[in-house]
Every structure is written in structure tokens, then in C-alpha cells.
Amino acid sequence: RIPRAMVLTELAREVHQLQHGPSDDETPESDAASEQNKEVDLMLADLQSGIPGPLALGSSSPSLPPQISASANHHVLLTGATGYVGTAILHKLLTDSRVQTVYLLVRSPDPAAGLERVRAAATTAGWWDEPIHAPKVQIWSGDLARPRLGLSEAAWSQLEGTTSSSHDTSEDAAAPPVTAIVHNGALVHWHRSYTELRAANVLATAQLVACVAANPHITRLEYISGGAQWDPADPRVVFDPVTLRH
């Protein structure tokens, strides 16, 4: 039986063994199975104990966010804006009259290069109009796989809802606060293991959740996910160790 948690390289090895039999130098418990168990152990540790270190939420209860009406102005952070789904989400945000600013976390060396990536994706999708859409976009150069999402100190403080005199210039002070997050960004790669995907997909999400808890201006977090969907009526335990290993 082929484990469902197996990556493609391990799957190819398993299929080869089923077709040709195991090699003479392979042990009954293959290296692939051993590595898979390590991956599952790490995943279970994350699920059971939460994210360790500075990414974990503090013990103090955050202040309740203010109630914002549907007609209020919103300033939204969007991740993953250059992908197929992300550029469609960005289009909806930019054409919504309630959204005044869309901050885009883009993997780029500088905001100009990031805007070019966003513009290219939107142009390919057939909806970009420079004078209409560009004024509402602000690029935050960053990387989901890095601490603090790879953001500058000013951008991170704005996202977290804090200020610092070391970077509180008049421009930073006037920047509108983030009021919502649409987390659509992820590292999707079928050849990579959980260990390799963990920083961009798990730790980045934990950092955003921590920002929502710390920032009283953020009233909503939308998380865009793919893969298997859980049926609440299913009596099986979600992420049960036996299910993950087999």
C-alpha cells in the first residue's frame, strides 16, 4: 500500500520496487519510509504543540478589534498576488470601492520589481489598467519563508500594529493601517517535503495569525487553501498519526 503522504520521488521509488522488486542492498524498512516517518513526526509535533519561539502568540489577551461597518474604508494585505488565483483576487479587491489600499507581499528585490511582477500577471489575465489600478497598490518586498515574512522594519511594524521611532518617518506615520489580510501565498511543489515547505506554508501563516492577534486594526483574516477538504461529518480524527503514515 502506497502512503498518501509520500512525495513524488518516494512514490517513483515505490513503484519501481513494486515492478522490479527490492534491490539487494535495501533493508526491509527503506530509507524513504524512514524519511517519511521523520516528516510525519515533525508535522505532528507542530500540530500538537503549536509553533515554538517568537512566532507563538503571547499569553496576554489582545485588545478587541474595533467594529467596522461594511461601508468603511479598508486597507488589505494580499499574499500570492502574482499567481493564477491571486491575480483574480487582486482584481476583485481593486475594483471594490470599499478597498482604498492593497498591500502586496511580493518576492522581489525592491518594490519596482515587485510591481512589475504584479503588472505582468494582471496583464496576462487581461484586466490591468495602469491609471486605474496602480494608484491603489503598494508593494511590500518580502519572502514568506523568512522571519517576519522578509519585510522591512517599517512594513512589519505596520502589519503588527506597532511603531518605532527609529523608522517612524512622516511617510510611515501617514500610511493607513492594515485592516484585513487575504493569505493566498504558498510554496507549492510536489517534489518537496514537509520540512522544506514548512517555513513558507506553516510558519508564515502562524506569523500572520500572530499579527492579527496583536494588531487591533485588523478585523478579518481570509486563508486560501488547497488540497484535501475535511468533512465535519467524518468520524475519523483529522491528522490522526495512523492516517498520516498510511
Side-chain angles (χ1 to χ4, degrees):
R1 187 176 180 183
I2 297 176
R4 288 183 291 176
M6 191 174 279
V7 297
L8 284 181
T9 51
E10 297 167 350
L11 177 60
R13 187 182 301 126
E14 188 75 15
V15 171
H16 183 273
Q17 289 182 4
L18 291 173
Q19 291 177 334
H20 306 286
S23 303
D24 294 336
D25 57 346
E26 289 181 334
T27 60
E29 184 176 9
S30 66
D31 292 339
S34 177
E35 286 301 315
Q36 179 190 339
N37 285 336
K38 292 179 182 178
E39 295 292 309
V40 172
D41 289 340
L42 178 59
M43 187 186 303
L44 288 172
D46 283 343
L47 291 168
Q48 292 168 356
S49 62
I51 305 301
L55 301 184
L57 300 180
S59 57
S60 59
S61 299
S63 58
L64 292 176
Q67 296 298 317
I68 298 181
S69 66
S71 61
N73 294 334
H74 294 283
H75 309 280
V76 182
L77 169 66
L78 171 64
T79 66
T82 59
Y84 179 79
V85 175
T87 192
I89 296 173
L90 176 60
H91 186 209
K92 295 291 289 185
L93 291 173
L94 292 178
T95 54
D96 190 326
S97 60
R98 297 168 298 176
V99 177
Q100 301 300 302
T101 312
V102 182
Y103 299 102
L104 301 178
L105 194 159
V106 183
R107 194 169 61 250
S108 61
D110 54 66
L115 180 59
E116 185 55 39
R117 288 191 62 198
V118 172
R119 184 186 291 115
T123 301
T124 300
W127 62 264
W128 182 260
D129 189 323
E130 187 75 19
I132 295 177
H133 300 128
K136 295 177 71 171
V137 170
Q138 290 195 30
I139 303 296
W140 285 356
S141 296
D143 187 340
L144 291 175
R146 296 177 58 191
R148 294 189 171 187
L149 309 176
L151 295 173
S152 67
E153 186 179 356
W156 176 257
S157 294
Q158 187 177 347
L159 178 59
E160 199 177 33
T162 60
T163 58
S164 171
S165 58
S166 63
H167 64 266
D168 189 15
T169 64
S170 58
E171 182 179 355
D172 293 331
V178 177
T179 60
I181 297 174
V182 180
H183 183 30
N184 174 67
L187 176 57
V188 181
H189 199 300
W190 295 106
H191 287 274
R192 297 192 181 182
S193 63
Y194 176 76
T195 301
E196 294 171 300
L197 300 174
R198 181 172 179 258
N201 295 351
V202 178
L203 302 186
T205 303
Q207 292 182 83
L208 288 172
V209 171
C211 287
V212 172
N215 190 338
H217 298 287
I218 300 176
T219 60
R220 187 160 187 167
L221 168 64
E222 294 287 347
Y223 177 66
I224 312 299
S225 180
Q229 297 192 11
W230 173 56
D231 181 0
D234 192 332
R236 294 177 300 176
V237 177
V238 180
F239 296 127
D240 181 86
V242 176
T243 302
L244 285 171
R245 294 185 192 279
H246 302 287

